Structures are given as structure tokens and as C-alpha cells.
Amino acid sequence: MQLLENISLKPYNSFGINVESSLWVEVNSLEELQEALGNDKIRHGKIMILGGGSNILLTADFNGVVIKINILGKEILEETEKEVLVKTGAGENWHEFVLYALDQGWGGIENLSLIPGTVGAAPMQNIGAYGVEIREVFDHLTAVHRETGKAEKFDNRDCKFGYRESVFKNIYKEQYVITHVALRLTKKDHPINTSYGTISQVLEQNGIKDPTIRDVSNAVIGIRQSKLPDPEKIGNAGSFFKNPTIDKIDFEGLRAEFSSIPGYELPGDQVKIPAAWLIEQSGWKGIKRGNIGVHKKQALVLVNYGGGEGAELRDLALEIQKSVADRFGIVLTPEVNII
Ligand code: EPU
């Protein structure tokens, strides 16, 4: 285990914010993680667990230790004619894993193509896109308790998944480090999900009637590339806010005033509203302020054009929140972790 000092975090966060961490250690296995968590220099200070750094906004230098999770590897735990249970190291890149699964002919995560970040971060916030969430294929994970150093198993129910939520963001916040994730994927008769938005349109345009999992993945990749900025080129962390859910009765009230407001009905007389619409209607889409701004093709994505500071982005997010609240009476919640 090598403890380094004063490391720039710029290459390790997709916003490309240039702040430093006073200490830095990379771990390549569960045992190395346990060793790091037990180290005296580390355990008494602040700890930041870093995966792909694609869902964080760093607003200041970090006076503590960053533990970078580099745990790699894929292992088949169980296999039948129909399904495979595959366990993956938390440090594997999510999209590369999706492509690997497609190469093996495994289905279930093709709609989650091109999501930045690591496998270990995926269940943390129950990643979702284009009508699918990881909870649907999630079997279990292994996580190490930060205080005791004990490795524990969490099955699907233990994780209490919700929309961009799990126990690891709530009751167990900052208590566990995910080291491995096991997903149950299909080997044949893959359920194909093309219900969301433009997937079916894109497939139709390409003349595909009976899409394979690879076709769905390609369609999703095409849609994402057309709307979302590539973090390699423009710093961003995907959706900055969650889509808010409000009571149906309040939604009816808003619709009386704003007739074009979109909403998706949920069970329990709730309606989910696209935050991007609220932000766009409040006049923020495509605005540029110095080095930062709001993406011109997706109003939910804040961007760093280069040289922007985390605090500037945080302040912009606060202004957006305030103007949406003033106009629509809805308080947006950040999806990104602001540190
Ligand atoms: N819309 C606008 N203006 C915009 C963009 C969208 O008004 O600039 C409205 C439109 O009405 C559109 C609706 O918002 O129909 C939904 O837009 P989109 O399909 O782009 O999805 P989203 O709700 O904005 C969510 C996820 C994304 C995910 C997409 C596709 C959240 C917070 N975001 O965005 O996830 O890729 O659906 O499934 O749930 C992420 O979490 O980082 C992320 C990118």
C-alpha cells in the first residue's frame, strides 16, 4: 500500500475540477482495502472513496485521504442454460463491462450502455437509463464496513433500491465500501426493452424490426452521444439533479398554468416531472457563464468548459434551484454528490 501526498484530483473527476487531496491511496483488492481502512494515518481522518469520479462535484481541496478503488476482475459464480451470475470487481469500468457482457451474449444491461463510472458505483445510486435500472439484474454485492473492516454481503432487498437511491446513500451513507457486484444476466430469450423515449424510433430509422441486445445498446449509445456531452471533451457529471416527484393534485394545478408541462404518472398518485424541462423553461438551457454553463442539448447537465471551479458550479446549481422553485414551487435535489 502506497500512501501519496498532495495529489491533483483533476484526472479523477469527470467535471475536471482541479483540486488536491492531501493523501491518496489506490487499492487493488478487498484485502488491500481492508489494510488501508485499518491504517492509523487513514482511519482517523476524512476518507473519500473514489470510483470513476463521474458523479461528484469537488468544491474545495480535500483534507483527508482519497481511496481509489481499482479492484478488477470478472468471475462466473453460477451458470445455467438460460442465465449467468457474474461477479465483477468494483473498479471495472461500467461501460466496458456492458460491452464485455454483450460480447458474451449476455443481456439485461444493454439499456445502460455508455453510462460513465465504475461497476462499484452503479448500485450505490441504482443507475438507470432508457427504461432500465440496475436493480432489475442486481443479485448481490460485497461491501467492506469502514469501521470494522468486515466484508459483508448485501442482496437485492438489503440494498433498498429506489430511484437513484440505495441504503448506501441513506442509512449506510459513508459506512461501507463496495468491492464486488454480482449481476444475473440472461443468456437467451433476452427481454428487450425499447419502451423509453426514442429507442424504438432510432431502431425503426435504422430498419431494425427485431432488435438484438447489441442493436439496443447501439441505439442507446447513439442517443446518449447525440444529447450528452462526452466528459473527455467537456467536463460534466451527467444529470446534475434528480427528476422531482410531486403529488398528482399539485401536478394538475401546475398544468392549469403551464399547459405543456410533461409528467409521468407513478403509483400512489404521484407524478414525475423532467427536471430538464423545468430548467429549460426557467431560461437556463445553453447559458454560458465564464468557463461553466448548462449544456445546450440537455438542460439537466451542468458543464465545465475547462478551468471552471467547483464552487462556481455549485453556485450556478443553487441559482437554478432557486429560479425553478420561484417559478414552479418545486425544489430540485442534486443527483451529484457535492463535496
Ligand atoms: N427535456 C427538456 N429539455 C431538455 C431535455 C429534456 O425539456 O433539455 C424534457 C423533455 O420533455 C424530455 C424529458 O425531459 O422528454 C426527458 O428527457 P431525457 O429523456 O433526456 O431524460 P431525463 O429525464 O432528462 C433521465 C436520467 C438520465 C438518463 C435519461 C434517459 C435522471 C436524473 N436522469 O434524464 O440519466 O440518461 O433519463 O433514461 O433520472 C444521469 O443520471 O446522469 C443521466 C444522464
Side-chain angles (χ1 to χ4, degrees):
M1 195 189 76
Q2 208 186 356
L3 205 52
L4 303 175
E5 284 178 28
N6 302 328
I7 296 293
S8 166
L9 298 180
K10 190 165 183 228
Y12 303 105
N13 72 98
S14 62
F15 260 124
I17 304 295
N18 192 18
V19 291
E20 278 191 359
S21 173
S22 45
L23 290 171
W24 167 277
V25 63
E26 298 191 20
V27 296
N28 299 296
S29 65
L30 189 148
E31 293 72 25
E32 279 186 26
L33 171 67
Q34 287 170 321
E35 187 193 336
L37 291 170
N39 180 292
D40 273 345
K41 263 194 176 167
I42 296 176
R43 61 184 298 169
H44 299 303
K46 283 203 291 179
I47 295 175
M48 187 199 310
I49 306 296
L50 197 61
S54 55
N55 206 42
I56 52 169
L57 175 63
L58 300 165
T59 57
D61 285 334
F62 186 70
N63 186 19
V65 59
V66 167
I67 303 182
K68 172 86 170 81
I69 308 297
N70 282 345
I71 303 170
L72 302 179
K74 304 178 214 50
E75 185 192 345
I76 294 180
L77 299 180
E78 279 172 27
E79 190 166 11
T80 64
E81 213 186 298
K82 282 187 177 163
E83 281 184 348
V84 59
L85 179 62
V86 56
K87 174 177 153 181
T88 308
E92 293 277 356
N93 175 276
W94 172 261
H95 180 60
E96 278 167 28
F97 177 67
V98 172
L99 295 180
Y100 169 82
L102 286 168
D103 285 343
Q104 312 301 308
W106 300 341
I109 49 178
E110 56 282 356
N111 294 50
L112 304 177
S113 296
L114 213 62
I115 295 185
T118 55
V119 168
M124 192 95 190
Q125 58 152 348
N126 181 26
I127 57 165
Y130 303 98
V132 172
E133 290 179 337
I134 194 176
R135 78 201 292 181
E136 291 159 48
V137 294
F138 178 92
D139 191 83
H140 68 270
L141 61 76
T142 306
V144 172
H145 192 272
R146 284 204 205 177
E147 294 280 317
T148 64
K150 231 180 92 191
E152 296 176 34
K153 183 176 167 183
F154 292 77
D155 66 21
N156 197 312
R157 278 187 40 199
D158 297 330
C159 294
K160 296 199 171 63
F161 291 121
Y163 167 59
R164 297 293 195 278
E165 284 295 344
S166 76
V167 281
F168 303 104
K169 278 182 80 177
N170 283 307
I171 48 169
Y172 296 147
K173 193 175 159 88
E174 298 191 350
Q175 289 186 38
Y176 285 92
V177 185
I178 296 170
T179 61
H180 297 87
V181 178
L183 304 181
R184 201 172 280 283
L185 303 175
T186 49
K187 285 172 65 183
K188 59 182 203 182
D189 307 328
H190 311 290
I192 299 284
N193 185 334
T194 59
S195 59
Y196 188 97
T198 47
I199 297 189
S200 46
Q201 281 169 28
V202 169
L203 291 167
E204 216 171 288
Q205 277 161 18
N206 296 338
I208 298 164
K209 284 217 177 65
D210 214 354
T212 62
I213 49 178
R214 178 76 68 178
D215 293 330
V216 174
S217 169
N218 287 339
V220 167
I221 290 173
I223 299 167
R224 287 189 77 97
Q225 283 175 338
S226 72
K227 284 210 231 171
L228 299 168
D230 177 356
E232 296 285 325
K233 297 184 186 127
I234 302 177
N236 77 91
S239 301
F240 196 90
F241 298 102
K242 291 195 209 181
N243 289 329
T245 299
I246 63 171
D247 289 338
K248 196 171 172 193
I249 191 151
D250 295 329
F251 180 71
E252 299 302 342
L254 279 172
R255 199 157 56 181
E257 203 179 333
F258 307 99
S259 59
S260 61
I261 188 169
Y264 309 99
E265 293 210 14
L266 301 175
D269 281 339
Q270 298 277 298
V271 178
K272 190 185 269 187
I273 303 176
W277 187 90
L278 300 169
I279 296 169
E280 181 172 347
Q281 295 299 311
S282 305
W284 293 99
K285 190 169 180 172
I287 67 113
K288 232 179 145 181
R289 181 181 290 175
N291 296 322
I292 63 164
V294 176
H295 189 50
K296 58 180 187 300
K297 293 187 197 151
Q298 226 298 6
L300 197 46
V301 179
L302 302 194
V303 291
N304 174 16
Y305 290 104
E309 302 214 347
E312 293 177 287
L313 281 154
R314 181 197 54 208
D315 292 347
L316 175 62
L318 286 170
E319 266 187 69
I320 292 172
Q321 260 172 326
K322 185 170 181 319
S323 80
V324 167
D326 287 348
R327 195 173 165 89
F328 298 102
I330 295 174
V331 179
L332 296 178
T333 314
E335 199 239 89
V336 166
N337 285 316
I338 303 172
I339 299 167

